[in-house]
Amino acid sequence: MIDWQDKLSSVVQELKPSGIRQFFDIVATRKDCISLGVGEPDFVSPQVVIDHSIQALRDGYTHYTGNAGLLSLRREVSRYLEKEYGLSYNPEKEILITVGVSQGVDLAFRAILNAGDGVLYPEPCYVSYDPMIRLAAGVPQLVHATAENDFSLKARNIAEKVDAHGARSKALFLNYPSNPTGASIGKDELLNIAKLAEEKNLIVISDEIYGELSYEEKHIPFPTLPGMKERTLLLGGFSKAFAMTGWRIGYACGDENLIKAMTKIHQYSMLCAPTLAQIAAEAALKYALGERDKMRDEYRLRRDLIVKGFNDMGLKCFMPQGAFYVFPDIRGAGRTSMDFAKELLEAQNVAVVPGTAFGASGEGFIRCSYATARREIEAALTKIAAFVKG
Ligand code: PLP
């Protein structure tokens, strides 16, 4: 008999199961549930992307690509970032095509961290950051984004956590617009954060997967701030803005030394991102920007609908600037966020995610995704209002 407790990595054994997964195991058992839970577009990928991919398969594109990804796609990513944000990256040296932003996060930590190095990151946050830091032998240094600031991250809160837990901070991880709150960071605060990164000599890893889903203000990528391009790794992807979650494709852009280090790991662990997904991503950037904008405009309508709905029923909900999540305040409901979500599911068959799935600081809030049709959102709001009243 093998004693697996003894054989499995202790870091892996100590990882907690994802709070989202735990909750959705419960949701999966229910029929006719209205879900505001999932963090992925309800839209199918743009037809032009699908058509190009089918043609590519017929044409025999079934082989590996180079480790960094198709040069034609890297060129297209470079053109896209230049056109959208005036950012200039050399497609031959400064761009790596990854298996979603997820792999970009993993490679970035593994490329920069020695055992015991600290990484500052905001909470509440997307579920993968803490485990990925730990798997790379780093020390998570959590910075709270607070309800008082509508969950928008502040430089002063980051400064308080530099070198926390006895670990020298090597990197600052950002995610804006944020999952789970939808909060972005304004220009002035971004400049404060940039100043701090400079003073503390931090590498910045910026997960901007929701950048294109910014509603009022144009998104400001971190590397566009003065002096930040050389110290920032920009992570972007196709899952959200182009409704391409299942293709598993994204990109990392940054200094050629960092990209080279990440590519070294990638060549052994992954070899290359899926060829078909690379072709699909290239088609998305060439032909699907109109579709992207149409989906963004629809999300904006849904956001306005859902924010009003929550405020009308007395659950305070700030207006998020981007992504497709709202984070209403349920602190007045006299329950933990997990109990609120479980009881709502039980009473009204509506699924939301407890804020604590995104870290302890999410207590008192629930995450609702509006990547679902407006009539579903309306039906869910009616049911949640009945639950809150009852
Ligand atoms: N980063 C954030 C903030 C996310 O919300 C998600 C998915 O929900 C990811 C990364 C993963 O993205 P990808 O599908 O590109 O791996």
Side-chain angles (χ1 to χ4, degrees):
M1 270 292 256
I2 295 178
D3 175 4
W4 283 105
Q5 298 293 3
D6 185 46
K7 297 288 184 202
L8 296 176
S9 140
S10 53
V11 181
V12 173
Q13 290 197 56
E14 280 161 22
L15 290 182
K16 294 186 205 88
S18 151
I20 305 186
R21 270 291 130 237
Q22 269 181 326
F23 193 70
F24 277 91
D25 287 346
I26 308 174
V27 173
T29 63
R30 304 194 66 97
K31 269 177 109 183
D32 301 325
C33 177
I34 304 181
S35 179
L36 301 181
V38 286
E40 68 170 318
D42 53 324
F43 301 108
V44 173
S45 307
Q47 192 56 45
V48 64
V49 168
I50 295 171
D51 291 344
H52 267 79
S53 309
I54 291 171
Q55 191 54 47
L57 278 182
R58 292 212 167 100
D59 292 344
Y61 283 89
T62 57
H63 303 276
Y64 295 131
T65 69
N67 299 133
L70 290 168
L71 184 56
S72 55
L73 171 58
R74 285 180 280 143
R75 287 199 173 123
E76 211 51 58
V77 169
S78 173
R79 267 196 282 273
Y80 178 69
L81 294 174
E82 175 81 55
K83 206 161 136 250
E84 289 287 315
Y85 307 114
L87 263 173
S88 150
Y89 288 104
N90 179 341
E92 316 236 359
K93 295 181 178 160
E94 296 177 323
I95 299 178
L96 170 65
I97 303 302
T98 57
V99 182
V101 167
S102 304
Q103 196 211 1
V105 173
D106 182 27
L107 290 177
F109 290 144
R110 286 200 281 155
I112 63 169
L113 296 179
N114 287 314
D117 285 340
V119 181
L120 298 148
Y121 71 102
E123 201 207 77
C125 66
Y126 179 54
V127 291
S128 84
Y129 307 147
D130 176 279
M132 286 298 142
I133 295 167
R134 290 178 197 275
L135 285 166
V139 177
Q141 295 170 321
L142 194 149
V143 180
H144 292 293
T146 61
E148 293 67 49
N149 297 315
D150 287 348
F151 291 100
S152 187
L153 191 65
K154 300 288 170 204
R156 65 171 182 281
N157 297 128
I158 302 170
E160 285 163 9
K161 293 298 174 75
V162 171
D163 298 339
H165 314 304
R168 189 180 59 91
S169 298
K170 190 179 244 182
L172 166 63
F173 194 96
L174 299 173
N175 167 228
Y176 65 98
S178 148
N179 179 6
T181 67
S184 198
I185 308 175
K187 179 85 188 258
D188 289 350
E189 202 54 40
L190 283 174
L191 288 169
N192 292 338
I193 295 172
K195 195 162 157 248
L196 180 73
E198 186 107 57
E199 275 168 18
K200 301 292 179 189
N201 195 19
L202 300 167
I203 296 168
V204 179
I205 304 165
S206 197
D207 174 351
E208 302 186 17
I209 192 166
Y210 296 102
E212 290 98 330
L213 297 177
S214 294
Y215 301 111
E216 276 78 24
E217 309 282 336
K218 177 100 179 152
H219 178 69
I220 306 171
F222 204 78
T224 61
L225 300 168
M228 287 302 109
K229 186 165 169 258
E230 64 160 358
R231 67 172 65 244
T232 303
L233 180 75
L234 173 69
L235 300 177
F238 297 84
S239 287
K240 313 294 175 168
F242 292 93
M244 291 174 62
T245 47
W247 298 85
R248 312 306 306 124
I249 190 84
Y251 52 86
C253 307
D255 183 273
E256 67 172 281
N257 291 293
L258 177 52
I259 294 296
K260 206 192 256 176
M262 290 168 66
T263 310
K264 251 194 211 173
I265 307 171
H266 181 69
Q267 73 181 337
Y268 296 123
S269 66
M270 202 61 68
L271 219 159
C272 65
T275 302
L276 193 61
Q278 295 190 51
I279 289 165
E282 195 175 321
L285 295 181
K286 278 185 173 151
Y287 310 115
L289 299 190
E291 285 281 305
R292 176 201 67 173
D293 292 349
K294 259 195 234 158
M295 291 189 275
R296 184 198 54 214
D297 293 347
E298 173 59 24
Y299 289 132
R300 184 181 173 157
L301 294 174
R302 296 172 181 185
R303 178 199 63 164
D304 294 349
L305 174 71
I306 199 167
V307 167
K308 182 172 182 318
F310 277 115
N311 283 312
D312 284 353
M313 72 177 83
L315 296 183
K316 187 166 163 274
C317 183
F318 68 92
M319 182 65 82
Q321 298 89 2
F324 38 56
Y325 309 106
V326 288
F327 210 56
D329 186 342
I330 54 122
R331 285 176 292 184
R335 303 169 174 88
T336 64
S337 58
M338 180 53 103
D339 285 347
F340 185 98
K342 277 187 181 159
E343 288 172 32
L344 173 64
L345 187 62
E346 205 51 54
Q348 295 288 345
N349 221 9
V350 174
V352 300
V353 184
T356 43
F358 308 96
S361 56
E363 185 54 274
F365 296 82
I366 51 171
R367 188 195 78 172
C368 301
S369 159
Y370 49 89
T372 187
R374 269 182 271 164
R375 63 174 188 286
E376 294 276 296
I377 293 173
E378 276 162 358
L381 286 169
T382 306
K383 284 168 173 274
I384 298 170
F387 172 71
V388 170
K389 243 189 183 166

